Amino acid sequence: MNGVDVVLQAVAMYKSKDPKSGDEEEMVENLFDCLCCLLMPLENKERFVKAEGVELMIIIMKQKKLAYGSAIRALDFAMTNYPPACERFVDVLGLKTAFAAFMGK
């Protein structure tokens, strides 16, 4: 029932720190893979936006830690064919972070 929220809480632990071991690194990647799978149905995209998942992914992108690429991928899944997520991304100034990521800043 609260799968999106639970996975977001697990991912949030790594917003400002990198995993300490190879196993922990693999777990973080698996968490993001689960999040991307969860974001395929439309109703979960809505839950993601309401749970402030867009904001969390932007924070992870700003920190430039290991989960950086995975956060971009999760945002891609969240915003595909779901305009409210796109609007939220623009409203919270996500374009600034995205442009910096793609321009190599």
Side-chain angles (χ1 to χ4, degrees):
M1 290 289 215
N2 294 329
V4 174
D5 194 43
V6 170
V7 174
L8 284 175
Q9 288 176 9
V11 165
M13 293 180 1
Y14 296 98
K15 68 182 175 189
S16 60
K17 68 174 186 161
D18 279 334
K20 295 179 179 150
S21 67
D23 288 340
E24 195 174 4
E25 185 176 322
E26 184 177 352
M27 183 194 69
V28 172
E29 289 300 320
N30 289 338
L31 285 170
F32 274 101
D33 288 344
C34 290
L35 182 60
C36 289
C37 289
L38 282 170
L39 288 171
M40 288 183 187
L42 196 61
E43 59 271 5
N44 285 344
K45 291 180 184 194
E46 182 180 346
R47 290 182 183 123
F48 179 80
V49 172
K50 286 183 180 177
E52 298 181 357
V54 173
E55 291 86 345
L56 176 61
M57 296 303 119
I58 291 171
I59 290 169
I60 291 171
M61 287 172 60
K62 285 180 181 178
Q63 296 296 323
K64 306 247 196 258
K65 299 290 181 184
L66 175 89
Y68 179 76
S70 299
I72 293 172
R73 189 168 45 112
L75 280 172
D76 179 38
F77 273 85
M79 293 189 293
T80 300
N81 296 327
Y82 191 64
C86 300
E87 292 170 9
R88 182 66 170 204
F89 182 75
V90 172
D91 289 345
V92 296
L93 305 177
L95 290 174
K96 178 181 176 183
T97 306
F99 286 149
F102 293 122
M103 296 302 293
K105 184 177 178 184

